[in-house]
């Protein structure tokens, strides 16, 4: 993002601190207004002519730039797969705790792998718990595949909503 004297256009479409439109003004005039208010003039896009620019407080600009960098870095890395283990005969309070943990992971943009370890012939109970958890988490993520039942575990993978 270009700001203040880095903007080379002769005139800009100016927006105020609160987003109100101030019209098309010369860049020198926009810089003068920014200096008077003690804020920065930030170019929002280079594609249009005149380029839209906004008056932004320095702290707001810095926080927005840092947030954008972190978002781009996370997209480059990709989502992590985080596993949550449950038992087939889980108590209600423990179930709620695991559900909140899964919600937090999904809202942060990571993938959740729900696993119930089997000890005896409890595959039906384990499958029911996974199905219930997938239903409860439906507004945070979507199930990637069906529920997989293997010899020693029942598993489901959920991806966050886009």
């Amino acid at each position: 993002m270009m700001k203040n004297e880095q903007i080379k256009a002769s005139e800009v479409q100016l927006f105020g601190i609160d987003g109100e439109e101030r019209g098309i003004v010369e860049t020198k005039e926009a810089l003068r207004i920014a200096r008077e208010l003690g804020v920065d003039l930030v170019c929002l896009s280079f594609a249009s002519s005149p380029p839209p620019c906004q008056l932004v407080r320095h702290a707001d600009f810095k926080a927005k730039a840092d947030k954008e960098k972190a978002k781009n870095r996370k997209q480059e890395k990709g989502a992590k797969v985080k596993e949550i283990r449950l038992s087939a005969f889980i108590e209600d309070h423990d179930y709620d705790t695991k559900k909140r943990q899964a919600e937090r992971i999904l809202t942060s943009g990571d993938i959740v792998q729900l696993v119930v370890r089997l000890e005896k012939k409890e595959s039906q109970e384990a499958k029911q718990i996974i199905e219930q958890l997938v239903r409860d988490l439906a507004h945070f993520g979507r199930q990637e595949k069906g529920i997989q039942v293997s010899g020693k575990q029942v598993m489901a993978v959920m991806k966050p909503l886009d």
Side-chain angles (χ1 to χ4, degrees):
M1 276 192 250
M2 291 181 23
K3 66 178 193 175
N4 297 332
E5 282 76 24
Q6 295 174 336
I7 301 170
K8 301 296 180 193
S10 59
E11 55 185 19
V12 296
Q13 183 178 1
L14 186 62
F15 293 95
I17 295 173
D18 298 321
E20 72 277 0
E21 187 168 347
R22 293 188 165 203
I24 297 173
V25 295
E26 288 187 23
T27 305
K28 290 179 183 179
E29 178 67 17
L31 287 169
R32 186 188 61 74
I33 293 170
R35 270 190 231 103
E36 282 179 7
L37 296 173
V39 296
D40 290 322
L41 180 67
V42 178
C43 186
L44 302 174
S45 171
F46 309 111
S48 61
S49 179
C53 294
Q54 185 170 4
L55 299 172
V56 179
R57 289 181 186 87
H58 183 70
D60 294 344
F61 173 73
K62 181 95 170 113
K64 187 176 179 182
D66 290 346
K67 195 172 188 179
E68 197 171 296
K69 277 183 185 177
K71 184 179 176 185
N72 289 340
R73 214 174 20 250
K74 183 155 187 142
Q75 284 177 345
E76 286 175 12
K77 281 185 177 179
K80 292 181 182 176
V81 177
K82 298 193 177 185
E83 184 178 285
I84 295 181
R85 293 183 185 167
L86 306 116
S87 77
F89 301 106
I90 190 168
E91 296 289 326
D92 290 338
H93 172 72
D94 295 334
Y95 175 84
D96 291 338
T97 301
K98 296 291 186 175
K99 186 177 82 169
R100 278 195 309 275
Q101 188 179 12
E103 288 172 358
R104 194 170 41 249
I105 292 168
L106 287 169
T107 53
S108 73
D110 291 326
I111 297 170
V112 175
Q113 183 175 349
L114 306 167
V115 177
V116 177
R117 301 268 183 210
L118 301 177
E119 293 175 17
K120 298 175 187 150
K121 298 285 183 187
E122 51 194 30
S123 63
Q124 277 307 111
E125 293 89 352
K127 191 171 181 183
Q128 288 172 352
I129 287 175
I130 293 282
E131 287 172 348
Q132 181 182 355
L133 196 54
V134 167
R135 279 194 305 272
D136 290 346
L137 295 171
H139 54 280
F140 292 101
R142 67 184 188 294
Q143 192 174 354
E144 189 176 62
K145 300 176 187 171
I147 295 174
Q148 298 148 359
V149 182
S150 65
K152 294 187 179 184
Q153 67 183 16
V154 177
M155 184 177 73
V157 178
M158 294 193 72
K159 284 189 167 184
L161 295 174
D162 293 328

